[in-house]
Amino acid sequence: MRLPTPTTVHSEEEPHKIEKMKRVIRRIKFESELDLNFGERVADRAYGQKLLSCIQCGTCSATCPLAHYMDYTPRKIIAMTREGFKEEVLNSLTIWLCASCYSCYVQCPRQIHITDVMYTLKREAIQMGFHPKRLPIPILAQEFYKRVLKDGRNTESWLLVSLYLRTNPFIMLREAILGLKLFLRGRLTIGREHVKRRDQLHTILEHKKGEAPL
Amino acid sequence: MKYLYYPGCSLRSTGRAYEESLLSVLKVLDIPFEELNDWNCCGATSYVSIDETDAFALAARNLALAELQSPDGTINLIAPCSACFLVLLKTERYLESYPDVREKINSTLDKAGLHYHGRVNVRHPLDVFVNDYGLENITKRVKYPLKGLKVASYYGCQMVRPFKTFDHSHYPETMDRLVNALGAEPVDWPLKTRCCGGSLTGTIQEAGLRLNRLLLKEAEKRGADIMLTCCPLCQHNLECYQERINRKFDEKIDMPIAFFTQLMGVALGLSEKELGMQRLFKMPSLNQITHPKGEMVNAW
Ligand code: SF4
Ligand code: SF4
């Protein structure tokens, strides 16, 4: 069984930083090393067994606006999930680049809920600590999650500050001018917003976190 | 019919102009509405990436609160931000379609003395204006037809996908019809539902900027004077990163990006302040809007 080759992109379009993050390791993987039920388990979580009926037509990759920047296109992610390439899929940059635009979801001839598959994989990757270190997207998701868990509302300025502190504080300098411009137009609130019935919210969100590992 | 209104976090910060203009337009058209009491954040796309039960429960609290606030009949809940709109709608649909999800979420809500019965209809304001209030009625109320103004309507993703509630998933036309009713000229362009990258502009900026550059360039090439959006995140991306896109890709894009409610307000004769125009980086010049072809209109 062969691992998919990296996506080719036009050389002038090649975004270097992303390119550096893409790391497709080409090596032989034996069937005994695969997690053969992985696909079924993901399909269960992502609303239905349809994932298993993918015909590899590539419509999802063709319609995905981010396919150029991904290490594996959405079609490959579906194939690899089904075949049991668990580690590769959970370590991919693709799941974090997926912007939830639902283009693939509505176009797939097999009605596979590809966006929900991506969400399922994201959750699993975060839970297993598989995501690329300092990649800001999962960290943004976590910071956002914590903020809303506590206050019930999100204050964008605080969210961004905690994101940059945890990833790359220097970005804060890059974003400072934009922040100031927004502030001057009353578009950046400093006070923290929260719901009145925080107790009610906390009761609702109080349960065992996470799902059983896939 | 009274609408319930769910603002969402963005309309209280980066998207304030959207809230200001939306509420002013609802008022001037005498559309009755009431804010949802003690609403909480919808969870956006981040929550479902961490814990799905929490994500649905968080959104469902809003739906349950809406039922408490309107004890009878179907409730029309207006959610202007596309992300909020989809999260609430998706929660509503999934609770309806998957009994196990419904049971699980209702048992979490029950603990806090809440319950969701399935009476909420999540609506986007664009749908409300065009399909409930009606284009003909809007045309009747237009004070200053926006003659000659070329408008590229940008719908983004989540208002039209994956659920088709009032328009096509890849080539919607509702906003274009509205633009037409306001007297302006809709620009035909193919990227109206192509993704702006959402929060990628803040996380993997390389990719985010490229997506926005494509949208802006296409609108420019098609001769648009202004791009209209119906989501605070799309508006933020297209407007706030223009300068950076110009620097990085050596472009000279100079495109005002407004909310569709702002342009509606202009045509309906509302003031700059009522529409939050001063909050935009690039205010579409009033001359351009009110007297696009040099015709003098007494707008402001
Ligand atoms: S569009 Fe659907 S059927 Fe086609 S490759 Fe993608 S997931 Fe498979
Ligand atoms: S939902 Fe994700 S994978 Fe699907 S087309 Fe959009 S960005 Fe690509």
Side-chain angles (χ1 to χ4, degrees):
Chain A
M1 206 165 280
R2 209 162 48 86
L3 261 178
T5 45
T7 322
T8 40
V9 284
H10 299 299
S11 57
E12 50 157 16
E13 281 287 309
E14 206 136 22
H16 301 295
K17 279 185 204 147
I18 295 178
E19 211 49 41
K20 258 195 240 159
M21 293 160 98
K22 290 185 184 178
R23 220 170 286 134
V24 182
I25 308 154
R26 299 260 251 141
R27 67 177 182 91
I28 298 170
K29 187 136 188 171
F30 294 97
E31 192 144 322
S32 57
E33 295 171 334
L34 297 174
D35 183 346
L36 293 174
N37 296 323
F38 184 61
E40 263 174 56
R41 299 196 311 270
V42 171
D44 264 346
R45 292 259 163 95
Y47 303 96
Q49 293 288 332
K50 285 180 181 155
L51 164 61
L52 306 174
S53 71
C54 167
I55 51 171
Q56 288 292 294
C57 66
T59 307
C60 47
S61 306
T63 188
C64 177
L66 285 143
H68 275 319
Y69 312 107
M70 291 172 169
D71 40 6
Y72 308 106
T73 59
R75 176 186 64 82
K76 287 180 184 166
I77 288 286
I78 299 291
M80 290 165 72
T81 303
R82 191 167 58 177
E83 300 304 326
F85 287 85
K86 175 176 169 180
E87 245 170 76
E88 288 79 358
V89 167
L90 293 182
N91 269 311
S92 71
L93 187 60
T94 298
I95 56 178
W96 301 111
L97 272 165
C98 167
S100 314
C101 78
Y102 291 90
S103 275
C104 53
Y105 187 113
V106 298
Q107 298 275 47
C108 171
R110 285 297 166 111
Q111 285 99 37
I112 296 170
H113 292 182
I114 304 162
T115 319
D116 286 338
V117 173
M118 296 289 183
Y119 281 139
T120 307
L121 297 172
K122 284 180 208 189
R123 287 201 292 276
E124 185 63 12
I126 287 188
Q127 208 166 316
M128 310 259 301
F130 261 16
H131 54 84
K133 291 280 168 284
R134 287 171 95 83
L135 177 66
I137 300 168
I139 296 178
L140 176 72
Q142 283 165 311
E143 287 298 328
F144 185 92
Y145 178 82
K146 280 195 272 178
R147 179 95 30 226
V148 176
L149 204 57
K150 196 154 163 262
D151 294 335
R153 289 195 192 165
N154 164 37
T155 313
E156 283 161 346
S157 46
W158 286 90
L159 175 70
L160 289 176
V161 169
S162 45
L163 168 72
Y164 297 141
L165 283 179
R166 277 189 60 189
T167 50
N168 182 355
F170 293 106
I171 300 184
M172 243 185 309
L173 297 175
R174 187 186 79 188
E175 301 296 343
I177 297 170
L178 178 57
L180 186 67
K181 276 173 88 175
L182 288 170
F183 181 72
L184 290 175
R185 286 168 178 77
R187 282 164 64 174
L188 211 64
T189 34
I190 302 295
R192 293 241 305 252
E193 291 252 350
H194 63 82
V195 293
K196 278 188 233 112
R197 298 276 321 263
R198 272 196 265 202
D199 55 321
Q200 188 187 55
L201 189 86
H202 294 161
T203 317
I204 292 174
L205 300 180
E206 202 175 73
H207 62 92
K208 204 175 139 284
K209 300 295 170 204
E211 297 144 294
L214 275 172
Chain B
M1 178 174 55
K2 193 172 206 165
Y3 294 91
L4 276 188
Y5 164 58
Y6 173 87
C9 307
S10 293
L11 267 74
R12 291 288 151 89
S13 54
T14 46
R16 269 175 83 179
Y18 194 9
E19 174 164 62
E20 288 160 344
S21 56
L22 171 68
L23 300 191
S24 305
V25 171
L26 284 170
K27 277 179 202 142
V28 78
L29 294 180
D30 302 312
I31 299 176
F33 69 94
E34 197 177 87
E35 186 174 317
L36 177 64
N37 290 331
D38 207 34
W39 56 272
N40 59 261
C41 169
C42 71
T45 48
S46 299
Y47 243 71
V48 62
S49 312
I50 308 258
D51 189 296
E52 193 177 46
T53 310
D54 274 357
F56 280 141
L58 198 63
R61 177 177 179 265
N62 291 311
L63 302 178
L65 289 179
E67 285 185 342
L68 276 184
Q69 200 167 333
S70 297
D72 313 296
T74 308
I75 302 154
N76 282 294
L77 180 66
I78 299 185
C81 163
S82 294
C84 303
F85 170 76
L86 177 61
V87 169
L88 296 174
L89 180 66
K90 188 173 174 183
T91 304
E92 214 281 313
R93 295 280 171 100
Y94 276 42
L95 289 185
E96 198 189 313
S97 315
Y98 302 100
D100 50 324
V101 181
R102 183 168 58 231
E103 227 163 82
K104 186 153 86 180
I105 300 308
N106 263 330
S107 75
T108 20
L109 290 178
D110 286 343
K111 283 188 300 183
L114 291 171
H115 198 84
Y116 179 59
H117 302 90
R119 283 197 292 120
V120 176
N121 201 357
V122 183
R123 306 286 304 274
H124 195 277
L126 182 63
D127 176 22
V128 169
F129 287 130
V130 174
N131 299 316
D132 290 5
Y133 191 81
L135 287 177
E136 273 167 40
N137 293 330
I138 292 175
T139 315
K140 274 186 222 147
R141 303 291 290 268
V142 168
K143 281 196 186 145
Y144 308 109
L146 309 170
K147 260 189 238 123
L149 186 75
K150 290 192 170 165
V151 181
S153 302
Y154 177 61
Y155 298 76
C157 318
Q158 303 196 333
M159 183 176 75
V160 285
R161 286 191 301 263
F163 305 109
K164 238 189 273 179
T165 55
F166 62 98
D167 212 338
H168 192 271
S169 318
H170 279 101
Y171 204 81
E173 287 177 326
T174 309
M175 210 192 306
D176 299 87
R177 281 163 49 220
L178 175 66
V179 162
N180 210 13
L182 301 176
E185 191 185 316
V187 169
D188 180 34
W189 68 309
L191 300 187
K192 43 168 94 167
T193 62
R194 204 188 144 98
C195 183
C196 73
S199 53
L200 284 179
T201 41
T203 50
I204 303 191
Q205 201 164 62
E206 288 280 324
L209 294 183
R210 277 161 205 270
L211 293 180
N212 284 285
R213 173 197 182 198
L214 277 180
L215 297 173
L216 291 163
K217 281 302 281 185
E218 186 69 35
E220 189 187 70
K221 281 180 190 291
R222 302 267 172 159
D225 298 320
I226 182 170
M227 269 172 94
L228 284 194
T229 68
C230 51
C231 169
L233 191 53
C234 303
Q235 198 275 343
H236 179 80
N237 279 340
L238 289 165
E239 180 178 61
C240 300
Y241 293 103
Q242 248 181 68
E243 219 180 274
R244 213 166 288 174
I245 290 170
N246 283 342
R247 238 182 296 133
K248 191 171 164 87
F249 303 107
D250 199 20
E251 300 279 8
K252 290 191 185 61
I253 304 165
D254 186 26
M255 182 70 70
I257 315 285
F259 292 106
F260 78 99
T261 42
Q262 289 182 298
L263 207 61
M264 266 181 99
V266 170
L268 296 171
L270 295 170
S271 74
E272 198 179 302
K273 191 113 186 287
E274 284 170 297
L275 299 172
M277 286 295 194
Q278 76 284 3
R279 301 194 192 281
L280 298 180
F281 281 15
K282 207 165 287 160
M283 198 151 60
S285 89
L286 302 185
N287 286 339
Q288 204 185 340
I289 282 194
T290 51
H291 359 118
K293 284 205 170 142
E295 304 158 22
M296 290 302 289
V297 196
N298 247 346
W300 277 293

